[in-house]
């Protein structure tokens, strides 16, 4: 037997355990190892899912006879778990649960649903310009500190409050502070009874972070297939899953591929992503935060993740610095749902008009910076006025940030958001200051604000 970091080689006298089997050592507490390769007729190589302090050569190891399992059933609701299905919330012992292997095949094509439905989030900018698909996968792309986690927690709040489903939050490589804050916020908001949380924290070995996503999907599949409920699966952060796989691959001695990533990255990501699907019994809708290293969207991790998504929500550091929250870049973000056949002719036409107006404004910014607004033609000045009012109208106060902003959170229906954008494009708010449309819900609120008495 040999130990190198988290990689452990084990020699067996009799039958070799199959790939993905769990092994336990005789140490106290026991160290859990997952078999990833059979090296010859006597030896297996595995990755430790727990810290390896105290592990020594010559120590006895037993084969548990099965793979890593996750608890499923009604009993997991309102609870917080680690990768092994141990509860982290100091609550009562688990009851009404079954245990299932975390390694499961994606649903076959024959069982998948081909209907396209819109998943309403109550966030204006997303519902108007980047509509999400029910049973689809959406990515939140952005560097550090631009608001990915805040946007995710807002979506959880809105989903549970307005839709009869189950939310599963999977924290991969997250800070323990974020997990504790999320649990407390969800408890205070009263949405915990329809929610499950799983965490593979930053300080845990790469093997545990690599498998926590599979455990969360096993729970989601149970609610979809056995209880026929719609599931909202939130993953924060899918890049840390790729990073954990890269660490595991490096420890196993595999030759790295481009930029040091593991050669099997595409296969590993597909094995996780393809299980998120819309079937004849229900839908798993997934929203995934994706950290983009150094804001470089050509990074292999970002490129591979893009290929699986039906919507990409790109967060912009520039918009965050201008105070335009949510800091979503409307021109970089996109959705496969934004077609006339799915969202309807009116919505599609309006979304195209909004994008065109914002794109024209982006082109004019250089001229404004050099020569000033006065040098523009009257037509261009109108475009700028509309675009700036649209940008401010597409900001929104969140429920999850009430304690920081002092502004009451708003859930805005898609029709109200479209109606407001249409009125701005018709120049209905031309005589109102831009600030009247900042951080409001529906457009009618702009007229009700005391500081927005008609200008001039």
């Amino acid at each position: 037997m040999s130990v190198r970091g988290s990689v452990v080689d084990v020699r067996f006298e009799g039958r070799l355990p199959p790939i993905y089997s769990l092994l336990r050592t005789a140490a106290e507490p026991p160290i859990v190892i997952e078999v990833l390769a059979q090296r010859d007729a006597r030896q297996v190589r595995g990755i430790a899912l727990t810290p390896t302090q105290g592990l020594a050569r010559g120590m006895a190891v037993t084969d548990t006879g099965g793979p890593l399992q996750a608890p499923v059933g009604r009993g997991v609701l309102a609870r917080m778990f680690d990768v092994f299905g141990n509860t982290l919330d100091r609550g009562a012992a688990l009851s009404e649960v079954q245990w299932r292997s975390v390694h499961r095949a994606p649903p076959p094509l024959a069982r998948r649903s081909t209907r396209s439905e819109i998943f309403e989030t109550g966030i204006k900018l997303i519902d108007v310009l980047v509509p999400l698909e029910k049973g689809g996968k959406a990515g939140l792309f952005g560097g550090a500190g631009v608001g990915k986690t805040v946007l995710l927690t807002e979506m959880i709040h809105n989903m549970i409050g307005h839709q009869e489903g189950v939310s599963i939050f999977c924290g991969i490589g997250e800070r323990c502070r974020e997990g504790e804050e999320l649990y407390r916020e969800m408890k205070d908001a009263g949405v915990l009874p329809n929610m499950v949380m799983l965490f593979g924290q930053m300080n845990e070995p790469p093997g545990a972070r690599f498998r926590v996503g599979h455990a969360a999907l096993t729970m989601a599949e149970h609610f979809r297939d056995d209880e026929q409920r719609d599931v909202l699966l939130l993953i924060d952060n899918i890049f840390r899953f790729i990073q954990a796989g890269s660490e595991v691959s490096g420890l196993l001695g595999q030759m790295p591929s481009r930029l040091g990533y593991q050669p099997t990255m595409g296969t590993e990501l597909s094995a996780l992503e393809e299980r998120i699907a819309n079937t004849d019994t229900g839908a798993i809708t997934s929203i995934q935060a994706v950290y983009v290293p150094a804001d470089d969207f050509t990074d292999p991790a970002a490129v591979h993740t893009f290929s699986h998504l039906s919507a990409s929500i790109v967060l912009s550091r520039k918009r965050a610095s201008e105070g335009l929250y949510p800091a979503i870049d409307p021109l970089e973000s996109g959705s496969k749902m934004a077609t006339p056949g799915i969202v309807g002719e009116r919505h599609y036409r309006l979304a195209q008009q909004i994008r065109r107006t914002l794109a024209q404004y982006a082109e004019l910014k250089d001229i404004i910076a050099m020569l000033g607004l006065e040098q523009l033609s009257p037509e261009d000045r109108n475009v700028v006025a509309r675009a700036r009012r649209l940008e401010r109208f597409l900001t929104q106060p969140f429920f999850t940030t009430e304690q920081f902003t002092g502004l009451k959170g708003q859930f805005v229906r898609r029709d109200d958001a479209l109606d407001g954008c249409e009125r701005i494009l018709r120049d209905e708010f031309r005589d109102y200051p831009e600030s009247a449309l900042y951080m409001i819900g529906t457009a009618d609120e702009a007229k009700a604000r005391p500081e927005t008495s008609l200008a001039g």
Side-chain angles (χ1 to χ4, degrees):
M1 177 170 164
S2 72
V3 184
R4 288 184 313 285
S6 291
V7 173
V8 184
D9 287 352
V10 185
R11 185 180 172 83
F12 280 85
E13 293 305 322
R15 167 184 161 277
L16 274 189
I19 303 288
Y20 296 145
S21 294
L22 275 200
L23 314 176
R24 284 180 193 275
T25 67
E28 200 47 58
I31 290 154
V32 182
I33 301 160
E34 184 179 63
V35 176
L36 290 183
Q38 295 179 341
R39 304 202 61 213
D40 53 37
R42 291 284 179 87
Q43 277 194 61
V44 295
R45 176 165 284 179
I47 191 98
L49 304 184
T50 52
T52 50
Q53 284 96 335
L55 192 58
R57 291 184 67 170
M59 200 175 263
V61 175
T62 52
D63 175 10
T64 61
L68 179 64
Q69 294 190 314
V72 298
R74 287 283 170 98
V76 301
L77 290 170
R79 304 302 298 268
M80 193 189 222
F81 297 94
D82 67 6
V83 70
F84 300 107
N86 303 320
T87 54
L88 304 173
D89 51 19
R90 303 195 191 123
L94 279 181
S95 59
E96 290 184 76
V97 296
Q98 302 169 304
W99 291 80
R100 282 191 191 163
S101 165
V102 303
H103 302 284
R104 296 165 65 82
L109 278 174
R111 277 200 54 216
R112 294 186 183 227
S113 166
T114 53
R115 249 185 357 206
S116 290
E117 279 182 70
I118 294 296
F119 187 71
E120 206 168 296
T121 63
I123 298 167
K124 288 183 285 193
L125 208 158
I126 293 176
D127 289 341
V128 171
L129 293 176
V130 202
L132 304 188
E133 179 185 10
K134 195 172 187 181
K137 296 181 271 276
L140 289 178
F141 291 83
V146 291
K148 294 186 296 296
T149 305
V150 170
L151 203 48
L152 274 188
T153 48
E154 182 69 8
M155 285 186 192
I156 296 173
H157 184 282
N158 289 358
M159 290 316 104
I160 299 177
H162 294 83
Q163 305 208 8
E164 291 302 309
V166 177
S167 276
I168 297 179
F169 182 90
C170 175
I172 304 177
E174 279 302 281
R175 304 164 186 86
C176 58
R177 163 182 66 76
E178 290 177 339
E180 188 270 334
E181 280 174 7
L182 182 70
Y183 182 80
R184 210 174 50 233
E185 280 169 17
M186 296 299 119
K187 199 170 184 177
D188 292 346
V191 296
L192 212 51
N194 280 321
M195 191 165 178
V196 188
M197 295 185 196
L198 287 98
F199 288 96
Q201 286 167 208
M202 254 180 187
N203 60 320
E204 291 184 33
R209 286 180 269 131
F210 190 52
R211 287 287 175 239
V212 74
H214 298 89
L217 264 163
T218 303
M219 291 183 183
E221 286 164 344
H222 165 82
F223 286 115
R224 179 192 65 193
D225 301 336
D226 300 6
E227 299 200 12
Q228 304 195 350
R229 294 173 77 175
D230 286 344
V231 183
L232 176 66
L233 174 66
L234 299 122
I235 301 176
D236 191 5
N237 186 308
I238 204 75
F239 173 76
R240 309 251 176 250
F241 166 77
I242 293 170
Q243 205 173 32
S246 176
E247 284 182 54
V248 169
S249 167
L251 289 165
L252 290 172
Q254 291 176 350
M255 182 72 75
S257 123
R258 223 177 113 221
L259 294 187
Y261 286 106
Q262 64 272 40
T264 51
M265 175 168 65
T267 310
E268 288 165 3
L269 190 60
S270 302
L272 187 76
E273 296 280 8
E274 286 301 304
R275 287 170 67 181
I276 302 168
N278 206 342
T279 68
D280 43 19
T281 52
I284 300 176
T285 303
S286 170
I287 299 169
Q288 309 167 9
V290 187
Y291 168 70
V292 180
D295 292 345
D296 174 17
F297 284 90
T298 62
D299 188 271
V303 171
H304 275 270
T305 309
F306 259 124
S307 64
H308 290 280
L309 305 172
S310 54
S312 305
I313 299 168
V314 178
L315 294 164
S316 145
R317 199 173 299 283
K318 189 170 182 300
R319 286 178 73 83
S321 67
E322 290 169 9
L324 298 171
Y325 288 104
I328 299 167
D329 187 323
L331 301 176
E332 289 286 328
S333 306
S335 167
K336 291 177 183 158
M337 295 292 100
T339 62
I342 296 169
V343 295
E345 195 63 52
R346 174 181 176 244
H347 183 156
Y348 175 74
R349 191 177 37 73
L350 265 174
Q352 292 297 90
Q353 214 176 333
I354 293 163
R355 281 180 189 279
R356 196 161 44 246
T357 306
L358 294 173
Q360 284 174 292
Y361 176 43
E363 285 173 13
L364 292 168
K365 274 182 179 171
D366 287 344
I367 299 170
I368 296 166
M370 286 188 290
L371 305 173
L373 194 62
E374 296 74 32
Q375 300 302 314
L376 297 179
S377 67
E379 196 181 319
D380 284 347
R381 253 182 282 182
N382 283 340
V383 167
V384 170
R386 275 181 221 128
R388 288 181 64 85
R389 280 165 177 76
L390 278 171
E391 279 186 338
R392 275 142 192 80
F393 177 64
L394 292 172
T395 61
Q396 190 169 337
F398 281 177
F399 292 98
T400 46
T401 57
E402 280 179 10
Q403 68 208 63
F404 308 114
T405 60
L407 299 169
K408 195 171 180 331
Q410 301 256 22
F411 180 98
V412 184
R413 302 220 74 83
R414 183 163 63 122
D415 290 341
D416 291 335
L418 287 170
D419 181 56
C421 292
E422 191 170 38
R423 288 163 69 184
I424 291 168
L425 288 167
R426 283 202 312 253
D427 287 339
E428 191 178 314
F429 293 92
R430 176 190 284 176
D431 297 324
Y432 287 78
E434 291 169 5
S435 58
L437 293 155
Y438 181 65
M439 284 292 171
I440 58 170
T442 61
D444 289 332
E445 289 176 38
K447 296 189 173 181
R449 279 189 168 183
E451 75 271 20
T452 62
S453 51
L454 290 176

